[in-house]
Amino acid sequence: MSVIRLSASRPSTAAASSPVLASLEKRIDGYFHNYPDGHVTCGRAPRAGDIELASNDYLVLAGDRRIVEAQSKALQASEAGPYMSGVFIQYLSTQRTLERRFATFFGYEDAVLCQSGFVANEGLMQAIAGPDIPVYLDMYVHASMEQGVRAAGAPLHRFRHNRPEHLRLMIGRHGPGVVAVDSLYSTGGDFCDLEGLIAVCEETGSILVVDESHAVATTGARGEGLVASRGLQDKVPFITFSLSKGFVGRAGLIAASSRFVEYFRYESRPAIFSSAILPWEVTRFAKTLDIIERAGPVRERLHANAAYLRAGLVAAGYDIGESVSQIIPLVAGTEANTARLAKALEDEGIIGSVFCAPATPKNRAMVRFCVNQALNQAALDRVIEACARVRENLFDPSWPCFRGTEDRVAPPSQVTAAAG
């Protein structure tokens, strides 16, 4: 008999001849060998006085009194929720009203709520791809797209990040299919080359899917995202987004034609086999949409804060890649280097998010900063000054984030922040 240590506290015994348990134990051993002191993404808990740059709540709506009150009233008024699959709740007029409102918001014929952004992407890809339809993914697109491709059994091809010319080459080799990208990339902070991708899709007879998760609420005059803000809905048949970012909830959405939405509800396995969105969640999202549509000045503060911090970091000698948004990557390379960077920032009271494989390519691990609209200039200056000290203490030219110019070309004091 051999000891199978699937539980650290209560080892169990199993036959030494069990190849399944032996294989699993080997994988678990590998994890603890790589992370004997805990996973690299696990830092210390935020403390009073820290500046937190880890949240996707870009407009700072999570605790908004108007949203909380609306959801609370809906919860108190509800006698029972639809605790069942979404395929059985078409009678709920409040959800259909919100879906149609989202469709109008994005400029599409219809929309369907899903249980999460992951479910939306996985279900969409499973519903539109197949063994005879290849799928082309930007190498930095969200992992949920890949999961959907694999569920569909479709041929999967990756193209170089934001390189329409490489996509064109790949389609020339493997044939027209489905192309999936993010509008605003969650690790790089750069926007997709939307017009370039549309041109390739039109040339090759392919169709484009755009995940708007990090652009909705922050991009466009009403927060409508990249596709709608550029008036390109007729060129992009499907957009998706996660309501866990700017909408500070937990759901996903697909905007498309009414014909497709009807098909999706009853053919997408993740949609069929997941529980429905609850009524008080629908109320929360409706109130959040009210606020986001009218949040122009708040978006302006967000963009000004992000520009200020980007300029300050570049002036302090950081390479922030192609970021042009509220998402700012500090790529340290290896996980060990990234852990050192995160710890040094934590010691300064700056809390970011650690990203590593599989969320990034191997040896492209990073600390990601997410800027929000509520940061004032004193807080932004503190981040910049702390990062300057961290760079001075840890400087190593092999770290990608330290390869920026060391010239103070734009001192933080010369960049104007909107927040006072």
Side-chain angles (χ1 to χ4, degrees), residues 170-417:
M170 296 291 286
I171 295 176
R173 291 175 180 171
H174 305 288
V178 178
V179 177
V181 300
D182 289 356
S183 60
L184 175 56
Y185 285 92
S186 62
T187 55
D190 55 330
F191 287 94
C192 72
D193 180 356
L194 185 57
E195 287 79 5
L197 293 163
I198 288 172
V200 171
C201 288
E202 290 184 336
E203 290 172 18
T204 61
S206 299
I207 61 173
L208 184 60
V209 176
V210 178
D211 183 337
E212 293 265 29
S213 292
H214 290 271
V216 169
T218 67
T219 302
R222 297 176 298 115
E224 66 272 25
L226 185 66
V227 174
S229 69
R230 296 188 180 177
L232 294 171
Q233 296 95 324
D234 62 329
K235 307 289 186 181
V236 181
F238 308 100
I239 64 167
T240 70
F241 90 106
S242 168
L243 283 82
S244 67
K245 318 302 181 187
F247 270 74
V248 292
R250 188 176 298 278
L253 184 130
I254 300 168
S257 69
S258 295
R259 181 177 172 82
F260 176 81
V261 165
E262 173 71 10
Y263 159 79
F264 175 87
R265 290 186 193 279
Y266 301 100
E267 293 294 330
S268 168
R269 293 178 70 85
I272 295 169
F273 295 104
S274 296
S275 295
I277 306 299
L278 298 173
W280 44 90
E281 295 173 322
V282 171
T283 299
R284 177 186 180 88
F285 293 136
K287 177 56 68 173
T288 305
L289 180 55
D290 287 344
I291 295 168
I292 284 174
E293 285 190 288
R294 298 169 174 81
V298 176
R299 274 185 287 276
E300 290 177 6
R301 284 198 298 274
L302 170 67
H303 297 154
N305 284 349
Y308 185 86
L309 184 54
R310 292 196 308 269
L313 290 172
V314 170
Y318 280 85
D319 184 338
I320 59 170
E322 302 299 318
S323 174
V324 292
S325 71
Q326 71 274 7
I327 297 169
I328 305 174
L330 305 181
V331 180
T334 67
E335 291 186 10
N337 289 346
T338 304
R340 290 180 62 199
L341 177 60
K343 176 63 166 58
L345 290 167
E346 287 175 355
D347 290 345
E348 293 276 358
I350 311 300
I351 309 298
S353 299
V354 172
F355 279 65
C356 62
T360 70
K362 188 175 180 180
N363 292 325
R364 291 288 295 177
M366 68 176 67
V367 174
R368 185 187 74 175
F369 287 164
C370 286
V371 182
N372 66 66
Q373 64 88 11
L375 294 165
N376 58 29
Q377 185 165 335
L380 295 168
D381 285 340
R382 180 179 156 195
V383 174
I384 293 165
E385 291 161 6
C387 286
R389 288 191 294 271
V390 167
R391 184 179 187 273
E392 183 176 353
N393 293 333
L394 296 182
F395 182 76
D396 182 330
S398 69
W399 292 27
C401 64
F402 291 156
R403 294 175 187 165
T405 176
E406 293 188 59
D407 297 330
R408 300 298 197 267
V409 294
S413 61
Q414 296 180 15
V415 183
T416 300

